[in-house]
Amino acid sequence: MAVLSYFANPQRFMAVSRPLSLIFMALGVTLILFGGWLGLFVAPSDYRQGDAARIMFVHVPSAWLSMGVFAFMAGASFVSLVWRHALADVAAKSAAPIGAAFTLLCLVTGSIWGRPIWGTWWEWDGRMTSVLVLFFIYLGYIAVWASMETQEKAARAAAILCLVGVINLPIIKFSVDWWNTLHQPATFFTGDNNATDGFKYPMYVMALGYLSLFGGATLLNMRAEVMSRRAEAIAQRRARQG
Amino acid sequence: MIFSGAAATFIRELRLAWGGGGGAALPLGFFAAATSLTPLALGPAPDLLRAAGPGVLWIALALSSLLPMERMFQADLEDGTLDAYAGSGVALEGVALAKIAAHWLATGVPLALASPIFWVMLQGPVAAAPLVAASALIGGAAFFCFGAIGAALAAGIRRGGLLIALIAMPLYVPAMIFGAAAIYAAADGASWREPLMLTAAVALAAAAVAPFASAGALRAALD
């Protein structure tokens, strides 16, 4: 909580976020370039899938982030609803388009990978379907922000939707899994080492790169949002003074 | 106090939902038209209709239950009724629950009772017809609860119907899967108990979340 209230001051946030966003962006680009080089040239090609498996270095981190960003938004929405934290709803709003982009990237790269490996562009299997549903939830969340008259109303409505979404995501996931499962089960973090080390390290480097890029892009979005709200407030004050 | 308020709200909402704007007739007409378009698109082959029928029925049911949502809270927000509710000391959660129950009773139950007719027209076995109505009754309750969350969020927006659909559709997924699975199983003579019980579980979870989420959204709209 101490950290939360420290950054509740938009003035302080603007001062700190400027260098921080640039550092995160630079770190993200560097890590993704390095991870891309590792994944394309250093990692061994898969003995069954050949070089097609290398798209996993883009696909898997974007899948992690698609869920991670939504969890981040849910946390920010909770803080925004409970403590009326000035920047929490800005954070959730700013993260949403980035999370949606990761989700879309995950779907598109999965589709490109599926064509040579499964022989189909799209398969209605459990995990693909639940990621698609997650993408629709992102779209609904962004639409709520876009369609409300005032920022305050939009913030509360979007926060409620985000929390309802996060309660329902496990139920949706369970139901879709129950419905159909063809996708290979989880490989990472399962305890038994299915992925080899040569495959793992580029993946972790890429995931860290994505995470930094997400942090940097979200901070940039937040700064833009804070500035546009300030500009709005100034314009309203001017209009009132005539 | 809260309960007496909720009961009065429920009776008022039931009268409005039933009497205002044609009541259940409009969604029923839409339901009939949507299911009747299916054979025209798929072709009249009985085997194909038998295979696609349960899915078509559930899509039509989900779309039909979205119809009353746009005016569910919006009308009361526009004419100040919600302000009166909020100022009278009645919990908005109770108001939301009463509204959901009333609209489900006025629209969801007639849709569920009509669904066996279209089930038989889509070549479904007559023996499974009671189960079709039961699953539509239970799944419809989940649709109305999740739809109400979307309706409350979009209450302050003009032409919010599309936003409600975009919000509610992802939330409809579990009820859609289990409800359709139950009647597919019944048509195949397989065990329909598990999917039907899971549909009921989803409906109960939705009923637990919807009043609080809707009331929170309404409070935001009233400020």
Side-chain angles (χ1 to χ4, degrees):
Chain A
M1 275 319 294
V3 181
L4 280 182
S5 42
Y6 184 80
F7 285 111
N9 178 351
Q11 209 71 43
R12 195 178 285 147
F13 168 80
M14 290 307 267
V16 176
S17 65
R18 192 186 174 85
L20 219 54
S21 64
L22 293 177
I23 291 170
F24 276 139
M25 288 301 268
L27 191 68
V29 170
T30 314
L31 281 171
I32 286 172
L33 285 177
F34 178 58
W37 174 75
L38 278 179
L40 284 178
F41 300 107
V42 179
S45 66
D46 190 88
Y47 79 101
R48 266 185 305 175
Q49 300 177 2
D51 284 338
R54 293 183 197 279
I55 200 170
M56 286 294 125
F57 297 121
V58 180
H59 176 73
V60 174
S62 60
W64 288 342
L65 263 288
S66 69
M67 291 177 282
V69 172
F70 201 83
F72 168 81
M73 283 160 55
S77 299
F78 185 76
V79 172
S80 158
L81 270 185
V82 175
W83 289 289
R84 299 288 159 90
H85 189 286
L87 281 166
D89 61 293
V90 178
K93 183 189 183 184
S94 305
I98 304 164
F102 280 133
T103 313
L104 190 63
L105 185 69
C106 173
L107 287 169
V108 170
T109 52
S111 170
I112 294 170
W113 176 84
R115 182 73 191 107
I117 304 300
W118 289 347
T120 170
W121 289 109
W122 185 263
E123 190 68 43
W124 288 98
D125 95 299
R127 283 214 268 176
M128 293 168 78
T129 310
S130 47
V131 172
L132 185 65
V133 173
L134 177 64
F135 183 63
F136 287 135
I137 293 179
Y138 271 115
L139 289 188
Y141 179 86
I142 295 169
V144 165
W145 268 106
S147 50
M148 297 277 172
E149 318 162 351
T150 66
Q151 293 285 339
E152 292 75 31
K153 284 184 182 180
R156 283 172 69 186
I160 290 167
L161 177 61
C162 190
L163 290 178
V164 169
V166 97
I167 293 169
N168 276 286
L169 270 176
I171 304 175
I172 293 171
K173 178 98 180 81
F174 163 74
S175 65
V176 171
D177 280 347
W178 185 86
W179 173 63
N180 190 357
T181 298
L182 177 117
H183 201 292
Q184 63 178 21
T187 310
F188 284 83
F189 307 126
T190 49
D192 42 316
N193 275 325
N194 287 323
T196 59
D197 283 351
F199 206 75
K200 262 185 192 168
Y201 290 122
M203 195 71 87
Y204 294 151
V205 172
M206 286 297 269
L208 276 179
Y210 273 52
L211 197 60
S212 310
L213 204 66
F214 162 68
T218 303
L219 283 176
L220 281 180
N221 265 0
M222 287 175 72
R223 290 175 56 78
E225 180 71 23
V226 170
M227 283 184 215
S228 91
R229 284 187 188 187
R230 254 186 222 167
E232 179 101 342
I234 292 171
Q236 277 181 358
R237 212 177 307 139
R238 288 234 177 98
R240 243 179 275 129
Q241 286 163 355
Chain B
M1 175 65 198
I2 285 171
F3 283 107
S4 70
T9 316
F10 176 72
I11 292 164
R12 170 184 178 269
E13 290 304 326
L14 193 59
R15 281 196 187 131
L16 279 177
W18 187 258
L26 221 52
L28 268 178
F30 178 84
F31 188 50
T35 42
S36 307
L37 278 177
T38 312
L40 304 180
L42 290 178
D47 284 348
L48 184 59
L49 287 180
R50 207 170 289 130
V56 168
L57 206 69
W58 270 80
I59 293 171
L61 192 69
L63 294 179
S64 312
S65 46
L66 276 176
L67 289 183
M69 292 303 161
E70 186 166 6
R71 299 300 288 170
M72 191 170 182
F73 296 111
Q74 197 174 52
D76 279 358
L77 185 67
E78 280 167 0
D79 66 11
T81 310
L82 275 180
D83 281 302
Y85 276 139
S88 70
V90 179
L92 277 181
E93 283 80 3
V95 174
L97 187 63
K99 269 181 178 289
I100 295 167
H103 280 260
W104 175 71
L105 213 60
T107 313
V109 172
L111 281 174
L113 293 181
S115 58
I117 301 170
F118 302 104
W119 167 256
V120 172
M121 282 170 74
L122 290 170
Q123 311 293 354
V126 178
L131 186 77
V132 171
S135 72
L137 212 58
I138 298 169
F143 288 161
F144 273 75
C145 288
F146 284 130
I149 297 175
L153 286 170
I157 301 167
R158 244 187 292 178
R159 299 175 52 89
L162 282 175
L163 183 66
I164 296 173
L166 186 61
I167 292 172
M169 279 305 181
L171 303 175
Y172 278 8
V173 167
M176 180 79 88
I177 287 175
F178 296 129
I183 59 176
Y184 267 115
D188 294 345
S191 171
W192 45 263
R193 289 173 57 92
E194 293 81 11
L196 193 66
M197 283 160 88
L198 285 167
T199 316
V202 170
L204 288 173
V209 173
F212 297 99
S214 309
L218 291 177
R219 265 186 220 109
L222 283 172
D223 275 353

